[in-house]
């Protein structure tokens, strides 16, 4: 029945001197890591036949495994492009697996989140990666990998850059040695814009390819309006825009389109940590500010077409390509201080003013009109949602809705999510919209 009581001073001395809290946290993390690794063992042994949509290379997992390349595509449409290209390079050395959207950022994810992520488990199974292994040395022949190279085949837009970054981030977190190996991870670059001289037919003659939007803008800025009219411009929203013939062209000249990533020193891994670590928001603000002026200058300055680099250091990828995604993400997520609109909302308003939309039109039809006349490159479902949001007038939605809600556009109860489908509801310009945006200003406002 005795009790043991300690003074506050004694407890403070124990806490300060022994580091008992830090040791307890370290022990818990070590135990979590052991459990994580043991559970991932079963992932490595799972049957590849159970992985849907995998087109496995014939030689994967054999003695010729290291000669095989796994093409990870952004969605099913990009997989169709890759499969069309396999008719050129064959199926013995090339496998294809489509990713479902964006991968998990594993930098701060818990082991439970990673274990519950089907995408990551599938990639580990296909490659036969081992969480316990350090893949040291250049020779991977005896280390059990089913493929010797990963090729990322993502869209050439900003979201495609983000997908590349998330995959590089995963490899850097779990198997940094692989990221240091020459050619282990490559990007499959395809043109995002093609400019074809009118009257030159459908061949490659007179065709200019641009692998980034800034490179296209540089070329365009160097032309007069009359010279620009001589070209037919085609924007390749995603890899699914390319035809089967274009896919065969890409794979016929495969090495030209492949850009290997390299991580040779600590700065490459530090830049990935800065981009994806949740508690480094302040560093990312500095990173965006440092690159904002340079990115603007590159877009505005006239110049020649920029060819993709032969080798892309990871640090350069983060500072030159991934930073463009972050800028674009901010631009489309934060309303402008000038008019309060995001780019997609501004495109809707532009199209409505151009059409002088004073009579009602179905939201689904308006979305098609906006997409046609305002160079909207994303999904029409997203555009329909934007139009619906601009017409909502319940408390907490818009101070001044610019469009009129004719139908059920959602209520305050579910934050607008209970609105009717875009094919059932109609809209038009509110009378007040032309007072806020007078016709005299149309030539002044971009």
């Amino acid at each position: 029945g005795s009790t043991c009581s300690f003074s506050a001073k004694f407890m403070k001395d124990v806490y300060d001197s022994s580091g008992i809290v830090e040791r307890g946290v370290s022990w818990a993390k070590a135990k979590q890591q052991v459990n994580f690794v043991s559970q991932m063992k079963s992932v490595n042994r799972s049957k590849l036949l159970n992985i849907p949509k995998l087109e496995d290379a014939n030689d994967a997992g054999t003695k010729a495994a290291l000669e095989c390349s796994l093409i990870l595509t952004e969605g099913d449409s990009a997989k169709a492009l890759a499969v069309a290209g396999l008719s050129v390079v064959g199926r013995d050395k090339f496998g294809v697996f489509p990713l479902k959207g964006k991968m998990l950022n594993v930098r701060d994810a818990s082991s439970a989140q990673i274990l519950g992520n089907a995408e990551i488990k599938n990639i580990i199974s296909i490659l036969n990666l081992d969480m316990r292994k350090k893949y040291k040395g250049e020779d991977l022949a005896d280390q059990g990998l089913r493929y010797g190279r990963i090729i990322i085949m993502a869209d050439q837009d900003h979201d495609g850059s983000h997908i590349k970054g998330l995959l590089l981030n995963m490899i850097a977190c779990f198997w940094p040695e692989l990221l240091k190996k020459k050619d282990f991870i490559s990007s499959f670059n395809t043109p995002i814009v093609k400019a074809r001289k009118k009257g030159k037919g459908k061949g490659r003659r007179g065709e200019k390819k641009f692998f980034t939007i800034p490179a296209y803008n540089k070329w365009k800025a160097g032309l007069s309006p009359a010279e620009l009219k001589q070209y037919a411009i085609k924007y390749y929203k995603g890899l699914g825009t390319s035809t089967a013939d274009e896919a065969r062209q890409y794979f016929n000249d495969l090495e030209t389109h492949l850009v290997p990533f390299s991580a040779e020193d600590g700065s490459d891994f530090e830049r990935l940590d800065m981009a994806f670590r949740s508690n480094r928001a302040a560093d990312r603000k500095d990173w965006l500010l440092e690159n904002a002026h340079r990115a603007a200058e590159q877009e505005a300055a006239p110049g020649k077409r920029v060819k993709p680099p032969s080798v892309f250091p990871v640090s350069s990828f983060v500072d030159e390509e991934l930073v463009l995604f972050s800028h674009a993400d901010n631009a489309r997520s934060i309303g402008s201080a000038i008019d309060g609109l995001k780019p997609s909302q501004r495109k809707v308003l532009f199209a409505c003013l151009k059409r002088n939309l004073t009579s009602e039109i179905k939201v689904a039809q308006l979305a098609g009109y906006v997409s046609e006349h305002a160079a909207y490159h994303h999904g029409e479902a997203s555009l329909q949602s934007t139009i619906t949001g601009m017409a909502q007038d319940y408390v907490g939605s818009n101070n001044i809705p610019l469009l009129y809600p004719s139908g059920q556009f959602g209520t305050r109860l579910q934050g607008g999510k209970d609105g009717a489908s875009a094919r059932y509801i109609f809209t038009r310009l509110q009378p007040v919209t032309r007072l806020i945006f007078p016709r005299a200003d149309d030539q002044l406002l971009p």
Side-chain angles (χ1 to χ4, degrees), residues 298-370:
Q298 286 176 346
E299 288 218 16
K304 294 182 179 179
R305 174 164 60 104
V306 179
K307 292 181 180 179
S310 56
V311 177
F312 211 1
V314 170
S315 55
S316 298
F317 165 77
V318 171
D319 290 334
E320 295 172 19
E321 190 171 318
L322 191 62
V323 71
L324 298 179
F325 162 77
S326 294
H327 280 302
D329 193 41
N330 283 339
R332 67 193 183 194
S333 303
I334 304 169
S336 168
I338 296 173
D339 59 6
L341 299 177
K342 300 170 187 174
S344 57
Q345 295 171 327
R346 199 172 294 110
K347 286 176 185 287
V348 171
L349 178 62
F350 163 80
C352 291
L353 294 178
K354 180 179 181 180
R355 186 174 174 132
N356 191 25
L357 193 67
T358 54
S359 57
E360 290 186 357
I361 184 176
K362 202 178 290 185
V363 168
Q365 289 175 304
L366 178 59
Y369 182 85
V370 175

Side-chain angles (χ1 to χ4, degrees), residues 16 18 32 79 86 112 145 191 214 230 302 323 365 396 415 420 431 440-441 444:
D16 291 342
S18 65
Q32 188 181 49
K79 179 195 170 184
L86 292 184
L145 289 180
Q230 296 175 14
V323 71
Q365 289 175 304
D441 285 345
L444 305 177

Side-chain angles (χ1 to χ4, degrees), residues 114-186:
I114 297 170
L115 283 167
N117 189 280
E119 206 86 318
I120 292 175
K121 289 197 290 186
N122 286 339
I123 292 172
I124 290 174
S125 296
I126 295 166
L127 293 167
N128 197 34
L129 288 163
D130 193 331
M131 300 296 294
R132 301 160 296 171
K133 276 191 179 179
K134 304 291 182 187
Y135 292 92
K136 295 181 179 178
E138 285 299 322
D139 187 14
L140 296 174
D142 299 324
Q143 302 199 43
L145 289 180
R146 299 185 71 253
Y147 286 86
R149 179 169 67 170
I150 296 173
I151 297 173
I152 311 172
M153 201 169 180
D155 295 346
Q156 291 299 113
D157 59 7
H158 300 313
D159 290 299
S161 300
H162 194 209
I163 288 171
K164 294 175 196 174
L166 288 166
L167 184 65
L168 290 170
N169 179 56
M170 184 188 81
I171 299 295
C173 281
F174 297 137
W175 307 280
E177 299 82 9
L178 288 177
L179 203 53
K180 295 178 182 178
K181 296 189 186 303
K182 185 181 178 183
D183 289 357
F184 183 74
I185 300 184
S186 298

Side-chain angles (χ1 to χ4, degrees), residues 42-265:
S42 61
V43 172
N44 293 335
R45 290 194 296 267
S46 65
K47 292 181 180 179
L48 295 178
L49 294 175
N50 294 334
I51 298 178
K53 300 183 180 180
L54 168 65
E55 299 281 344
D56 211 15
N58 295 332
D59 291 344
T62 67
K63 292 180 181 179
L66 296 187
E67 300 171 20
C68 296
S69 301
L70 176 66
I71 303 174
L72 295 176
T73 67
E74 182 183 343
D76 293 340
S77 59
K79 179 195 170 184
L81 179 78
V83 170
L86 292 184
S87 63
V88 175
V89 296
R91 292 174 177 262
D92 289 341
K93 306 295 184 188
F94 289 87
V96 184
F97 180 66
L99 300 173
K100 297 176 185 174
K102 295 188 177 180
M103 292 177 58
L104 175 71
N105 177 6
V106 300
R107 185 71 59 167
D108 296 302
S110 66
S111 57
Q113 286 176 302
I114 297 170
L115 283 167
N117 189 280
E119 206 86 318
I120 292 175
K121 289 197 290 186
N122 286 339
I123 292 172
I124 290 174
S125 296
I126 295 166
L127 293 167
N128 197 34
L129 288 163
D130 193 331
M131 300 296 294
R132 301 160 296 171
K133 276 191 179 179
K134 304 291 182 187
Y135 292 92
K136 295 181 179 178
E138 285 299 322
D139 187 14
L140 296 174
D142 299 324
Q143 302 199 43
L145 289 180
R146 299 185 71 253
Y147 286 86
R149 179 169 67 170
I150 296 173
I151 297 173
I152 311 172
M153 201 169 180
D155 295 346
Q156 291 299 113
D157 59 7
H158 300 313
D159 290 299
S161 300
H162 194 209
I163 288 171
K164 294 175 196 174
L166 288 166
L167 184 65
L168 290 170
N169 179 56
M170 184 188 81
I171 299 295
C173 281
F174 297 137
W175 307 280
E177 299 82 9
L178 288 177
L179 203 53
K180 295 178 182 178
K181 296 189 186 303
K182 185 181 178 183
D183 289 357
F184 183 74
I185 300 184
S186 298
S187 171
F188 191 107
N189 284 3
T190 55
I192 190 169
V193 177
K194 286 186 181 180
R196 183 175 52 80
K197 199 108 181 212
K198 293 176 181 176
K200 292 289 184 181
K202 293 187 177 180
R204 298 194 201 179
R205 210 174 149 196
E207 186 178 72
K208 296 183 181 293
K209 299 177 182 177
F210 302 94
F211 290 84
T212 64
I213 291 295
Y216 165 68
N217 287 338
K218 276 187 179 182
W219 171 80
K220 187 172 74 169
L223 299 179
S224 67
E227 289 173 321
L228 189 60
K229 284 184 179 179
Q230 296 175 14
Y231 288 88
I233 310 296
K234 184 175 181 181
Y235 176 83
Y236 284 68
K237 162 65 182 116
L239 293 168
T241 308
S242 299
T243 64
D245 285 339
E246 287 173 317
R248 286 187 279 272
Q249 287 178 18
Y250 301 152
F251 277 82
N252 265 319
D253 197 13
L254 187 62
E255 294 308 315
T256 302
H257 289 273
L258 288 184
V259 179
F261 290 104
S262 67
E264 297 176 359
D265 54 42

